[in-house]
Amino acid sequence: MAVSAAPFSMARVVVVGVGGLGTPAVRALAHAGVGSLVLVDDDTVDRTNLHRQILFRDADVGRHKLDAAADAVERQAGGVRPTVELVRERLHPGNALRVFAGASVVLECSDNYATKFLAADAARLSEVPIVHGAAIRWVGTALAVGPQGGPCYRCLFEDLPEGAQATCDLAGVVGPVCGIIGALQASFALELLGGGAPFGKLASLDGLHDELRFHTVKPRTSCALCGVRTIVDIDPARYLA
Ligand SMILES: [Zn+2]
């Protein structure tokens, strides 16, 4: 059964990071009839990432990701195409609240903890729902968080981890894991836009063992973002990796 695009035509979806997770998510959202996409990234297309960044092709190598993504949406989206707004910078403490203002939902498709925590905090302070995604090697997760928080990203991961962390660039990631997680993020977002409330739902994929599980995250009363609420603004010092 086809899903009507009508509920999504007025939606404004912000996608933070147009890489392994962001590209399948953008493709799914554009095809679903989302009216407006705001793409946030400051990077260029790299040949070594083409296996997982499915909006891009050989001819895009070296181009700004957002230009290549906008062209791909124009080329691929059938029927009504979304308007695409390009924010050619990383999400940072100085722009996060401005970028999230007026969003129907945010998809956090970044590859580093500083951006993930910043996006979590900015979404809660903006009272915008957010869908987090992460993927490395054979595993990936997607978490949907409501506009009022609770349970939120900080209920799961209290604060930025200390020390060097594994990244996709260093540890590698399997392309289909990114594809599945990015598509799940888009699916959560569409569910939200359609009036559903998958809040606190955590999808967990183990690609090596063919397991996809859904858990319900419990709100943590001591959570600084949605519990005791000691985070009431975007303090740049909070996101120093
Ligand atoms: Zn929380």
Side-chain angles (χ1 to χ4, degrees):
M1 183 180 72
V3 176
S4 168
F8 312 135
S9 61
M10 300 300 291
R12 175 182 171 87
V13 180
V14 175
V15 181
V16 178
V18 185
L21 301 175
T23 50
V26 165
R27 190 174 194 279
L29 294 169
H31 279 272
V34 165
S36 175
L37 291 171
V38 181
L39 309 183
V40 187
D41 207 308
D42 70 340
D43 206 356
T44 54
V45 177
D46 189 305
R47 186 176 303 281
T48 62
N49 297 335
L50 288 181
H51 72 289
R52 63 178 187 265
Q53 298 182 359
I54 62 167
L55 285 181
F56 310 139
R57 47 190 187 177
D58 275 349
D60 293 320
V61 172
R63 296 182 70 200
H64 198 292
K65 278 183 181 174
L66 298 191
D67 291 325
D71 286 351
V73 168
E74 175 68 21
R75 193 171 61 240
Q76 296 178 3
V80 179
R81 292 173 173 80
T83 61
V84 181
E85 181 183 330
L86 308 181
V87 180
R88 298 173 188 272
E89 22 180 26
R90 295 177 72 89
L91 192 76
H92 59 74
N95 69 7
L97 293 176
R98 174 170 49 82
V99 170
F100 287 6
S104 309
V105 58
V106 171
L107 267 64
E108 182 273 295
C109 303
S110 74
D111 62 356
N112 66 88
Y113 282 109
T115 304
K116 290 177 183 299
F117 280 95
L118 170 61
D121 295 352
R124 172 66 189 88
L125 296 175
S126 304
E127 299 191 351
V128 169
I130 182 168
V131 184
H132 296 277
I136 196 160
R137 302 189 185 96
W138 284 91
V139 298
T141 57
L143 170 68
V145 176
Q148 303 300 323
C152 76
Y153 190 76
R154 284 186 183 271
C155 289
L156 266 183
F157 307 104
E158 198 165 342
D159 211 340
L160 269 76
E162 292 185 4
Q165 301 299 313
T167 65
C168 288
D169 283 344
L170 294 175
V173 62
V174 179
V177 171
C178 289
I180 293 167
I181 296 299
L184 275 171
Q185 288 184 264
S187 179
F188 277 149
L190 294 174
E191 187 180 344
L192 282 163
L193 295 174
F199 306 140
K201 197 179 280 186
L202 175 71
S204 172
L205 172 71
D206 179 345
L208 201 55
H209 298 97
D210 308 319
E211 289 181 348
L212 176 61
R213 300 181 181 208
F214 290 86
H215 317 264
T216 300
V217 177
K218 287 193 170 65
R220 195 165 50 80
T221 52
S222 59
C223 175
L225 189 58
C226 72
V228 293
R229 296 195 181 182
T230 52
I231 296 175
V232 294
D233 59 8
I234 299 296
D235 178 356
R238 205 176 282 127
Y239 314 103
L240 298 175

